Amino acid sequence: MRTLTHRTFGEPEDVLEVTERPTPEPGPGQVRLRVVLSPIHNHDLWTIRGTYGFKPELPAASGTEALGVIDALGEGVENLTVGQRVATGGTFGAWSEFIVADAAGLIPVPESLEDESAAQLVSMPFSTISLLQFLGAEKGDWIVQNAANGAVGRMLAQLGAARGINVIGLVRRTAGVDELREQGIENVVATDQDDWREQVARLTDGAHVAFGVDSVGGSSAGDVLSLLGEGGTLVAFGAMNSPVMEIRSGDVIFKQATVKGFWGSKVIQTMDAATRGALFGELIQRVTEGTLTLPVAGVFDAADAADAVRASNTAGRVGKVLFKF
């Protein structure tokens, strides 16, 4: 079978290559999936560079999320059937024609959900809705986030709106405001404008901002923290621009702020089955009804991995880049 691997750590467009590997056999409690589509996530690219929290042994497979069709059942698997469409967001090596996955972690995909949406249902959307759960944000609360035009930023705004939670998004370019408004997302402020703080204040109209989400790092983390009200919580979700958060001691002290990290894979592991099922049910409902959109920027064959990575890294990209096998 064809699979994308890398023999060294480095820039993904330079080190990824298509190799032939034996088709795997499912063990007890496992199924084999024929991969239909698999998205490129930032954490996949960081892993290939060797800069993520998980560092695989070389030569290494790559990719973590996929939509697949069950091709074979391992011993003891009873609630799934051959030919069934399922999604997985925690199977390392997903950029391959076939993968083996634990049956217990698979999400059955209803026929009403298109392949391109189902292929990206788990990692980013589920991390986003889990983040809302993690924050404990309720109807009427205010959240401010940076990287608002990223995948998680868009989804947090959409899921927040669907739940009655107010989300203010910060973007670095004025053009990003119009891009998000075209997608129906309001309450967006560009930090390249001199009066951006005043714009945020007008949007909140004196309301208490309880939560901040930093996906950028550097001084942008401090900008988010500075907008929080007393007792606010700043959550580190990512570090797109810098691995160091630059936050002011005075903001932490005088706001009596809490700063903590969110790593989706760890949070999901400790989530009880009932909550997990309810959140996935909500996601599927939101996507089906159109209140949560999962656009696609392009679909590439695995043989064109370098082009796919470059497309994924394109500034201003809207939607995920997907591999097909």
Side-chain angles (χ1 to χ4, degrees):
M1 66 173 187
R2 293 192 311 158
T3 186
L4 279 169
T5 61
H6 57 104
R7 289 176 286 181
T8 61
F9 295 111
E11 289 303 316
E13 59 266 44
D14 297 328
V15 301
L16 279 174
E17 57 185 351
V18 177
T19 57
E20 292 288 333
R21 286 190 169 186
T23 302
E25 294 295 331
Q30 296 181 323
V31 303
R32 183 171 64 211
L33 305 180
R34 174 178 59 79
V35 173
V36 177
L37 292 169
S38 181
I40 298 176
H41 296 304
N42 285 334
H43 61 254
D44 297 322
L45 303 181
W46 294 333
T47 300
I48 295 166
R49 296 185 186 106
T51 58
Y52 194 51
F54 163 70
K55 197 167 185 177
E57 292 185 10
L58 298 173
S62 46
T64 48
E65 180 173 12
L67 169 70
V69 176
I70 295 177
D71 178 70
L73 302 176
E75 180 184 349
V77 177
E78 298 178 349
N79 297 323
L80 298 170
T81 59
V82 171
Q84 185 175 4
R85 293 164 74 232
V86 293
T88 174
T91 302
F92 183 68
W95 295 349
S96 184
E97 281 188 275
F98 293 91
I99 57 175
V100 165
D102 291 335
L106 298 176
I107 309 301
V109 176
E111 292 303 319
S112 59
L113 206 58
E114 295 181 352
D115 285 353
E116 291 185 346
S117 294
Q120 48 178 320
L121 181 68
V122 183
S123 292
M124 295 297 102
F126 194 69
S127 287
T128 306
I129 202 168
S130 298
L131 174 61
L132 283 175
Q133 190 82 6
F134 179 80
L135 293 175
E138 299 179 351
K139 184 176 181 179
D141 284 344
W142 285 84
I143 300 173
V144 61
Q145 63 167 340
N146 53 26
N149 50 352
V152 169
R154 284 189 312 96
M155 288 184 280
L156 186 64
Q158 290 178 327
L159 288 170
R163 289 184 168 195
I165 298 168
N166 304 291
V167 179
I168 294 178
L170 304 180
V171 294
R172 286 179 287 185
R173 302 174 296 113
T174 301
V177 176
D178 294 331
E179 291 168 3
L180 288 170
R181 283 178 178 163
E182 288 174 3
Q183 300 171 56
I185 298 173
E186 302 292 336
N187 291 351
V188 183
V189 174
T191 57
D192 64 356
Q193 298 182 3
D194 293 338
D195 67 337
W196 71 269
R197 291 181 183 276
E198 288 78 8
Q199 292 182 48
V200 172
R202 286 194 294 271
L203 287 172
T204 59
D205 193 25
H208 180 263
V209 180
F211 307 104
V213 179
D214 170 43
S215 297
V216 178
S219 61
S220 186
D223 289 339
V224 173
L225 176 60
S226 71
L227 299 173
L228 300 187
E230 186 174 349
T233 298
L234 175 67
V235 172
F237 186 90
M240 281 195 269
N241 192 51
S242 172
V244 177
M245 297 174 69
E246 300 173 20
I247 59 177
R248 300 169 187 83
S249 299
D251 283 336
V252 177
I253 296 167
F254 300 122
K255 293 177 184 289
Q256 291 292 280
T258 299
V259 181
K260 56 186 178 181
F262 176 92
W263 189 6
S265 61
K266 295 293 184 182
V267 172
I268 293 166
Q269 286 172 15
T270 60
M271 187 179 291
D272 64 89
T275 300
R276 184 171 173 268
L279 293 180
F280 269 117
E282 180 180 347
L283 281 180
I284 292 171
Q285 175 192 342
R286 302 293 188 200
V287 174
T288 302
E289 70 188 14
T291 54
L292 176 63
T293 58
L294 302 177
V296 171
V299 179
F300 291 77
D301 186 271
D304 301 317
D307 290 337
V309 171
R310 282 190 281 268
S312 184
N313 288 333
T314 300
R317 167 182 54 82
V318 176
K320 282 292 178 183
V321 174
L322 309 177
F323 280 122
K324 62 180 179 180
F325 292 88

